[in-house]
Amino acid sequence: MESMDHIYQSYAQTVYKYLLSLSGDRDLAEELTQETFYQAIRSIERYDESCKISTWLCAIAKNQFHTYMRKHPIQLNYEEYVANNDMQSAQSSVEDALFAETERVNLLRSLHSCKEPYREIIYLRIFGNLNFKQIGEIMGKSENWARVNFYRGKELLRKELEKNEQ
């Protein structure tokens, strides 16, 4: 077994990108990455080497993310949104932002209805900006498997979006 310091150096970026793909929030991804490694240290004796360490860490990260989301439901704060985005013309920009947010919500709703493993692969690829080799490692599969399933998931997502537009 490698030292935790070496494990952190080797896998922190992968865990961070995975959490960023789930949350879409850099600060939250950073916080949950730290919590993931804290939990990994606490439960290192349970790691039985039956899977890659990156897979084990991403499973912990996913659990940390779901725990966080149960405790902190997402809320859209209009004033904070306006302040953070430095809008010059608040009225038209807010309308544009709300339209974009509606489109984004529709995309995420459709993505959420996709079956696994397609949904998670799309999250990792698009929101996590991971390459297919990294996705394959996280999922415990090959790079080619990740490519094929990303394509299939993308096609299912496209069909779902077309169905929702009608």
Side-chain angles (χ1 to χ4, degrees):
M1 171 64 75
E2 303 173 52
S3 73
M4 276 310 284
D5 202 30
H6 182 351
I7 291 170
Y8 180 82
Q9 295 297 324
S10 300
Y11 300 104
Q13 269 305 103
T14 301
V15 171
Y16 170 78
K17 287 181 178 179
Y18 176 65
L19 287 164
L20 184 59
S21 75
L22 294 176
S23 69
D25 181 328
R26 292 175 186 212
D27 293 333
L28 178 59
E30 182 67 35
E31 179 182 331
L32 292 177
T33 298
Q34 298 305 316
E35 185 62 27
T36 296
F37 280 93
Y38 172 72
Q39 293 300 327
I41 290 169
R42 289 184 62 208
S43 62
I44 192 72
E45 73 280 350
R46 290 192 301 228
Y47 176 62
D48 62 4
E49 298 185 28
S50 63
C51 63
K52 291 183 179 181
I53 196 139
S54 59
T55 304
W56 180 67
L57 289 168
C58 285
I60 294 171
K62 187 176 183 179
N63 288 336
Q64 291 303 312
F65 175 73
H66 289 298
T67 299
Y68 178 87
M69 293 307 292
R70 278 192 301 276
K71 292 179 181 177
H72 303 91
I74 296 174
Q75 298 175 359
L76 180 61
N77 184 334
Y78 173 79
E79 290 80 17
E80 186 178 301
Y81 184 84
V82 171
N84 287 342
N85 288 296
D86 224 15
M87 297 183 177
Q88 296 169 345
S89 122
Q91 185 62 34
S92 65
S93 295
V94 169
E95 289 171 3
D96 292 344
L98 290 175
F99 179 74
E101 183 68 18
T102 301
E103 290 299 311
R104 190 175 136 225
V105 167
N106 288 337
L107 171 66
L108 291 172
R109 184 178 295 124
S110 295
L111 181 55
H112 185 70
S113 70
C114 285
K115 296 183 288 185
E116 290 294 345
Y118 307 123
R119 177 178 48 218
E120 190 162 359
I121 292 169
I122 292 170
Y123 276 130
L124 292 172
R125 179 73 176 157
I126 294 173
F127 300 110
N129 201 25
L130 298 179
N131 63 40
F132 292 114
K133 182 178 181 184
Q134 292 168 319
I135 294 170
E137 287 176 5
I138 288 170
M139 304 290 289
K141 304 287 185 177
S142 70
E143 179 179 348
N144 191 48
W145 177 89
R147 284 181 190 279
V148 168
N149 282 287
F150 176 74
Y151 175 78
R152 289 176 182 164
K154 199 168 58 169
E155 289 300 305
L156 288 171
L157 182 59
R158 184 183 55 76
K159 288 176 185 174
E160 182 70 25
L161 287 169
E162 287 174 357
K163 183 174 74 173
N164 290 341
E165 287 177 1
Q166 295 174 356

